[in-house]
Amino acid sequence: MDVILLERIAKLGQMGDVVRVKDGFARNYLLPKGKALRASEANRSRFEGMKIDLEARNLEQRGEAEKIAEKLNGQSFTVLRQAAEGGQLYGSVSPRDIAALASAKGFVVARSQIALNTPIKAIGLHKVPVSLHPEVEVTVSITVARNADEAQRIARGEDVTVARDQEAEAAAEAVVAAEAFFDPEGAEARRAREAEPAADDAEAEKKKD
């Protein structure tokens, strides 16, 4: 379907451009949202009559968006979520969540303006674009962590997934050390059991030779 754009649309064109789009995209998004008109002769004439008002409205909206952008650009927000040891979230962080975080800090941001293609599903530091206006886009930082301490470590640039793996290894080593101290016979027996498979493998290799 050919449509006349009533505002700038990323990857499509500028206000007034006549572009061809998929029928579903036009019917489900562009036309009902008032972002385009069907490219008929009647609508071409209609657009010329609307053009001055559309340009004035666009300038006003862009000015408002730029004011918000000055304060919002580079802002950091923290989200605490439960996650597995490997860092995968049991849930996710969606555009709705990010819009709510921004609103809680006094920024007027709609869910539709959060340019997040897929929800965030892992702990870490994530850069998320926010499209305040077709011509005004900023980036915010979303820190996703299990707790406040972990959030601070992520903010410092630490890889908390690796750190937790190291903590788990240290804990396992501590258990072995404690066992060796308090139950040396049990520790020795466990080491013997662990060594048996290796000895069996070595014996099998000798037989092959």
Side-chain angles (χ1 to χ4, degrees), residues 123 143-155 160-161 164:
I123 62 171
T143 299
V144 184
R146 301 175 181 90
N147 52 58
D149 176 64
E150 189 172 73
Q152 292 178 354
R153 289 161 60 190
I154 291 172
V160 295
T161 303
R164 288 178 76 88

Side-chain angles (χ1 to χ4, degrees), residues 4 18 37-52:
I4 305 167
V18 177
L37 295 171
R38 289 176 181 269
S40 63
E41 287 302 319
N43 281 338
R44 290 174 193 270
S45 298
R46 181 184 171 194
F47 171 75
E48 290 303 320
M50 299 167 60
K51 189 174 181 179
I52 294 176

Side-chain angles (χ1 to χ4, degrees), residues 77 79 81 91-104 107-121 128-131 140 142 144:
F77 302 95
V79 183
R81 288 285 191 275
S92 64
V93 180
S94 68
R96 184 194 297 274
D97 296 321
I98 297 172
L101 287 169
S103 297
F107 296 103
V108 181
V109 178
R111 178 182 60 178
S112 60
Q113 293 176 312
I114 308 299
L116 189 64
N117 294 325
T118 57
I120 297 171
K121 295 185 178 181
V128 178
V130 182
S131 181
V140 297
I142 307 297
V144 184

Side-chain angles (χ1 to χ4, degrees), residues 4 13 24 32 62 67 84 99 107 123 155 165-166 178 185 197 202 207 209:
I4 305 167
R62 188 175 70 184
K67 290 178 183 178
F107 296 103
I123 62 171
D165 289 343
Q166 291 173 342
E185 293 182 0
K207 289 180 179 180
D209 295 340

Side-chain angles (χ1 to χ4, degrees), residues 11-85:
K11 299 181 181 179
L12 276 184
Q14 304 293 328
M15 180 191 298
D17 288 350
V18 177
V19 297
R20 175 160 292 183
V21 298
K22 292 182 179 179
D23 290 357
F25 183 53
R27 293 196 185 99
N28 299 327
Y29 180 69
L30 294 177
L31 300 180
K33 293 288 186 179
K35 295 178 181 293
L37 295 171
R38 289 176 181 269
S40 63
E41 287 302 319
N43 281 338
R44 290 174 193 270
S45 298
R46 181 184 171 194
F47 171 75
E48 290 303 320
M50 299 167 60
K51 189 174 181 179
I52 294 176
D53 288 340
L54 286 172
E55 289 177 343
R57 186 179 68 180
N58 180 65
L59 283 174
E60 181 181 353
Q61 292 175 339
R62 188 175 70 184
E64 293 174 356
E66 287 173 345
K67 290 178 183 178
I68 297 173
E70 289 178 3
K71 298 179 180 179
L72 181 60
N73 191 38
Q75 284 284 330
S76 297
F77 302 95
T78 299
V79 183
L80 301 183
R81 288 285 191 275
Q82 292 185 334
E85 285 298 318

